[in-house]
Amino acid sequence: MIVLGIETSCDETSASVLTDKLEVLSNIVLSQDEIHAPYGGIVPELASRQHIKSISYVIEESLAQAGTELDGIDIFSVTQGPGLVGSLLVGLSFAKGLAYSQGKPLIPIDHLEAHIHSAFIENHNISFPILALLVSGGHTSLFLLSKKLEYRLLGSTRDDAAGEALDKIAKFLDLGYPGGPIIDKLAEEGDPRKFSFALPQMSDGSLDFSFSGFKTAALRKIRENKLTKNHPDFKDFLAGFEKSIIRALLANVGRAVDEFHPQSLILCGGVARNRKLRRGFEGFAAAHSLSSYIPAPEFCSDNAAMVAALALEKIKSGDKGALDLSLDVYARR
Ligand code: KG4
Ligand code: ZN
């Protein structure tokens, strides 16, 4: 069985071909970073227009690299939401057309579930219950999975996502877009102890996150210390800011581990590419004698392999798909 996945929820146009053994025959990702960089953030209208320009090429390339053609695809799958409405519309309409023309099923995929499922592409047997930390530009959430395809939301951000906070501070400092990977690189050479940020406390004891306080504190420190790219403490500041975000993420993981006693931990989403977060997460898991699973970087940021992988799981569990899908712009959880 061969599955084609399509992902256009935000600013990456991606198509991927997988076998039912979860072999990734192709995973083409066309990033729009250069288009949005001058604006320091994603411009939704530009994103949807670019998806329209790229989608045929990306799908053709993914089929060619996988050594197959459209009539060799048994199942089509596409991100249904959450995401940007115009961006989702391009992928969903295209996928519907392909599935309809080939007379094959179309499986709708939730973007957040796909990020979590990306961990299963390289590790087919992860012990349940699983605690999954999803950290991206749009979402920062903790999920508990008691078994495959069963997701319980434990907490999510009340304001900015972690990636959004990194991107906004990078934009303010004129570092480029997206800011997360730039801060990751620069902070590597900084001393994180020089600048500290107080961790947010949820008065109701929930497992929710909050990053807007960090952002405000960071802006204040930038102004007070007149921090610019050439300031001798610049990389120390970035290292301190990044470390505080990682501490806040791991603090909630720690509280959720104490409360729910998972067997395994998953770290996923675009920010899971961050090297210090990866090291910190693995260190945390080892200290708690838990197995940890962090997808390879190409499966962390938005990609269609995770869409196809989740579609396979849904097909196995009896999902028949549908051709009358509509968009699901907002997160269901
Ligand atoms: O999952 P993703 O590709 O898209 C969303 O669904 O949001 O995540 C994008 C986010 C951006 O905020 C970007 O700055 C961040 O992931 N990111 C990183 C790194 N690579 C990407 N953040 C920190 N360190 C990185 N190396
Ligand atoms: Zn994403």
Side-chain angles (χ1 to χ4, degrees), residues 136-166:
S136 72
H139 302 274
T140 304
S141 312
L142 268 174
F143 288 89
L144 188 70
L145 285 77
S146 48
K147 56 179 186 167
K148 275 193 181 159
L149 304 180
E150 234 183 62
Y151 308 86
R152 176 176 162 201
L153 180 66
L154 303 179
S156 56
T157 184
R158 293 197 179 172
D159 36 61
D160 289 346
E164 198 179 352
L166 290 165

Short mmCIF file of all heavy atoms in Angstrom, two decimals, residues 136-166:
data_model
loop_
_atom_site.label_atom_id
_atom_site.label_comp_id
_atom_site.label_asym_id
_atom_site.label_seq_id
_atom_site.Cartn_x
_atom_site.Cartn_y
_atom_site.Cartn_z
N SER A 136 5.85 24.42 18.49
CA SER A 136 6.03 24.92 17.12
C SER A 136 5.84 26.43 17.10
O SER A 136 5.81 27.08 18.14
CB SER A 136 5.05 24.22 16.18
OG SER A 136 3.75 24.69 16.41
N GLY A 137 5.70 26.97 15.89
CA GLY A 137 5.51 28.41 15.76
C GLY A 137 4.08 28.81 16.12
O GLY A 137 3.82 29.95 16.50
N GLY A 138 3.16 27.87 15.99
CA GLY A 138 1.75 28.19 16.24
C GLY A 138 1.21 27.55 17.51
O GLY A 138 0.15 27.96 18.00
N HIS A 139 1.90 26.53 18.03
CA HIS A 139 1.35 25.77 19.16
C HIS A 139 2.41 25.38 20.16
O HIS A 139 3.56 25.12 19.79
CB HIS A 139 0.68 24.48 18.64
CG HIS A 139 -0.39 24.75 17.65
ND1 HIS A 139 -1.69 25.01 18.02
CD2 HIS A 139 -0.34 24.86 16.31
CE1 HIS A 139 -2.40 25.26 16.94
NE2 HIS A 139 -1.61 25.18 15.88
N THR A 140 2.01 25.35 21.43
CA THR A 140 2.86 24.77 22.48
C THR A 140 1.89 24.01 23.37
O THR A 140 1.10 24.61 24.10
CB THR A 140 3.59 25.86 23.28
OG1 THR A 140 4.34 26.66 22.35
CG2 THR A 140 4.55 25.26 24.29
N SER A 141 1.92 22.68 23.29
CA SER A 141 0.90 21.89 23.97
C SER A 141 1.49 20.59 24.52
O SER A 141 2.46 20.06 23.97
CB SER A 141 -0.22 21.49 22.99
OG SER A 141 -0.67 22.60 22.26
N LEU A 142 0.85 20.11 25.59
CA LEU A 142 1.20 18.81 26.16
C LEU A 142 0.02 17.87 25.96
O LEU A 142 -1.12 18.24 26.25
CB LEU A 142 1.42 18.96 27.67
CG LEU A 142 2.82 19.24 28.19
CD1 LEU A 142 2.76 19.47 29.69
CD2 LEU A 142 3.79 18.10 27.87
N PHE A 143 0.31 16.68 25.44
CA PHE A 143 -0.74 15.69 25.22
C PHE A 143 -0.39 14.39 25.94
O PHE A 143 0.79 14.04 26.03
CB PHE A 143 -0.88 15.35 23.72
CG PHE A 143 -1.50 16.44 22.90
CD1 PHE A 143 -0.72 17.44 22.33
CD2 PHE A 143 -2.87 16.47 22.67
CE1 PHE A 143 -1.28 18.45 21.56
CE2 PHE A 143 -3.45 17.47 21.89
CZ PHE A 143 -2.65 18.46 21.34
N LEU A 144 -1.42 13.68 26.37
CA LEU A 144 -1.23 12.34 26.91
C LEU A 144 -1.89 11.36 25.95
O LEU A 144 -3.05 11.54 25.59
CB LEU A 144 -1.86 12.22 28.30
CG LEU A 144 -1.54 10.93 29.04
CD1 LEU A 144 -0.08 10.89 29.47
CD2 LEU A 144 -2.44 10.79 30.28
N LEU A 145 -1.14 10.35 25.53
CA LEU A 145 -1.69 9.33 24.63
C LEU A 145 -1.75 8.02 25.40
O LEU A 145 -0.70 7.49 25.81
CB LEU A 145 -0.78 9.13 23.41
CG LEU A 145 -0.79 10.19 22.31
CD1 LEU A 145 0.02 11.42 22.72
CD2 LEU A 145 -0.20 9.61 21.02
N SER A 146 -2.96 7.50 25.61
CA SER A 146 -3.05 6.22 26.32
C SER A 146 -2.85 5.07 25.34
O SER A 146 -2.45 3.98 25.72
CB SER A 146 -4.40 6.11 27.02
OG SER A 146 -5.41 6.45 26.12
N LYS A 147 -3.17 5.32 24.06
CA LYS A 147 -2.87 4.37 22.98
C LYS A 147 -2.82 5.16 21.67
O LYS A 147 -3.11 6.37 21.67
CB LYS A 147 -3.90 3.26 22.91
CG LYS A 147 -5.32 3.75 22.76
CD LYS A 147 -6.26 2.56 22.68
CE LYS A 147 -7.64 3.02 22.37
NZ LYS A 147 -8.62 2.11 21.99
N LYS A 148 -2.51 4.47 20.57
CA LYS A 148 -2.41 5.18 19.30
C LYS A 148 -3.74 5.85 18.95
O LYS A 148 -4.81 5.27 19.20
CB LYS A 148 -2.00 4.21 18.19
CG LYS A 148 -0.48 4.05 18.12
CD LYS A 148 -0.03 3.36 16.87
CE LYS A 148 1.48 3.23 16.90
NZ LYS A 148 1.98 2.20 16.02
N LEU A 149 -3.68 7.04 18.42
CA LEU A 149 -4.83 7.82 17.94
C LEU A 149 -5.73 8.35 19.06
O LEU A 149 -6.81 8.84 18.81
CB LEU A 149 -5.70 7.00 16.95
CG LEU A 149 -4.99 6.45 15.72
CD1 LEU A 149 -5.96 5.68 14.83
CD2 LEU A 149 -4.34 7.57 14.91
N GLU A 150 -5.27 8.21 20.31
CA GLU A 150 -6.07 8.75 21.42
C GLU A 150 -5.29 9.86 22.09
O GLU A 150 -4.28 9.59 22.75
CB GLU A 150 -6.40 7.64 22.42
CG GLU A 150 -7.88 7.54 22.66
CD GLU A 150 -8.20 6.49 23.69
OE1 GLU A 150 -7.76 6.64 24.85
OE2 GLU A 150 -8.87 5.52 23.31
N TYR A 151 -5.72 11.09 21.88
CA TYR A 151 -4.95 12.25 22.33
C TYR A 151 -5.75 13.02 23.39
O TYR A 151 -6.87 13.44 23.12
CB TYR A 151 -4.67 13.20 21.16
CG TYR A 151 -4.05 12.54 19.96
CD1 TYR A 151 -4.86 11.94 18.99
CD2 TYR A 151 -2.67 12.50 19.80
CE1 TYR A 151 -4.29 11.32 17.88
CE2 TYR A 151 -2.10 11.89 18.70
CZ TYR A 151 -2.92 11.30 17.74
OH TYR A 151 -2.36 10.69 16.65
N ARG A 152 -5.15 13.19 24.57
CA ARG A 152 -5.81 14.01 25.59
C ARG A 152 -4.96 15.25 25.83
O ARG A 152 -3.77 15.14 26.18
CB ARG A 152 -5.93 13.19 26.88
CG ARG A 152 -6.51 13.98 28.01
CD ARG A 152 -6.70 13.10 29.24
NE ARG A 152 -6.84 13.92 30.42
CZ ARG A 152 -6.62 13.49 31.65
NH1 ARG A 152 -6.24 12.25 31.85
NH2 ARG A 152 -6.76 14.30 32.67
N LEU A 153 -5.55 16.41 25.60
CA LEU A 153 -4.82 17.67 25.79
C LEU A 153 -4.70 17.97 27.28
O LEU A 153 -5.71 18.09 27.97
CB LEU A 153 -5.54 18.81 25.07
CG LEU A 153 -4.89 20.18 25.18
CD1 LEU A 153 -3.53 20.22 24.48
CD2 LEU A 153 -5.79 21.26 24.59
N LEU A 154 -3.46 18.11 27.76
CA LEU A 154 -3.25 18.40 29.19
C LEU A 154 -3.03 19.89 29.43
O LEU A 154 -3.35 20.40 30.50
CB LEU A 154 -2.02 17.64 29.71
CG LEU A 154 -2.03 16.12 29.56
CD1 LEU A 154 -0.73 15.54 30.11
CD2 LEU A 154 -3.21 15.52 30.31
N GLY A 155 -2.44 20.56 28.44
CA GLY A 155 -2.17 21.99 28.61
C GLY A 155 -1.72 22.60 27.30
O GLY A 155 -1.20 21.89 26.43
N SER A 156 -1.96 23.90 27.14
CA SER A 156 -1.49 24.56 25.91
C SER A 156 -1.16 26.01 26.26
O SER A 156 -1.42 26.45 27.38
CB SER A 156 -2.54 24.49 24.81
OG SER A 156 -3.73 25.05 25.27
N THR A 157 -0.62 26.75 25.31
CA THR A 157 -0.21 28.10 25.66
C THR A 157 -1.42 29.03 25.76
O THR A 157 -2.38 28.89 25.00
CB THR A 157 0.83 28.66 24.68
OG1 THR A 157 1.23 29.96 25.14
CG2 THR A 157 0.28 28.78 23.27
N ARG A 158 -1.33 29.94 26.72
CA ARG A 158 -2.45 30.90 26.89
C ARG A 158 -2.22 32.14 26.06
O ARG A 158 -3.08 32.99 25.96
CB ARG A 158 -2.55 31.29 28.36
CG ARG A 158 -2.97 30.10 29.20
CD ARG A 158 -3.46 30.53 30.54
NE ARG A 158 -3.88 29.36 31.30
CZ ARG A 158 -4.22 29.39 32.57
NH1 ARG A 158 -4.20 30.53 33.23
NH2 ARG A 158 -4.57 28.30 33.19
N ASP A 159 -1.01 32.29 25.51
CA ASP A 159 -0.74 33.49 24.69
C ASP A 159 0.12 33.08 23.50
O ASP A 159 -0.36 32.44 22.58
CB ASP A 159 -0.10 34.60 25.55
CG ASP A 159 0.86 34.06 26.59
OD1 ASP A 159 1.85 33.43 26.19
OD2 ASP A 159 0.63 34.24 27.81
N ASP A 160 1.40 33.44 23.51
CA ASP A 160 2.27 33.09 22.38
C ASP A 160 2.69 31.63 22.44
O ASP A 160 2.79 31.06 23.53
CB ASP A 160 3.56 33.93 22.44
CG ASP A 160 3.31 35.39 22.11
OD1 ASP A 160 2.22 35.69 21.58
OD2 ASP A 160 4.20 36.21 22.37
N ALA A 161 3.00 31.06 21.27
CA ALA A 161 3.67 29.76 21.24
C ALA A 161 5.17 30.01 21.46
O ALA A 161 5.65 31.13 21.24
CB ALA A 161 3.43 29.09 19.89
N ALA A 162 5.90 28.96 21.87
CA ALA A 162 7.33 29.13 22.15
C ALA A 162 8.08 29.63 20.90
O ALA A 162 8.90 30.55 20.98
CB ALA A 162 7.93 27.82 22.64
N GLY A 163 7.78 29.03 19.74
CA GLY A 163 8.45 29.44 18.50
C GLY A 163 8.13 30.88 18.14
O GLY A 163 8.98 31.62 17.64
N GLU A 164 6.88 31.25 18.42
CA GLU A 164 6.44 32.62 18.12
C GLU A 164 7.24 33.62 18.96
O GLU A 164 7.65 34.68 18.46
CB GLU A 164 4.96 32.69 18.50
CG GLU A 164 4.17 33.82 17.94
CD GLU A 164 2.72 33.70 18.42
OE1 GLU A 164 2.32 32.69 19.04
OE2 GLU A 164 1.98 34.67 18.16
N ALA A 165 7.48 33.28 20.24
CA ALA A 165 8.24 34.17 21.12
C ALA A 165 9.67 34.33 20.59
O ALA A 165 10.21 35.44 20.54
CB ALA A 165 8.25 33.62 22.55
N LEU A 166 10.27 33.21 20.16
CA LEU A 166 11.63 33.28 19.60
C LEU A 166 11.63 34.13 18.33
O LEU A 166 12.49 34.99 18.13
CB LEU A 166 12.15 31.86 19.28
CG LEU A 166 12.47 30.97 20.48
CD1 LEU A 166 12.61 29.51 20.06
CD2 LEU A 166 13.77 31.43 21.16
#
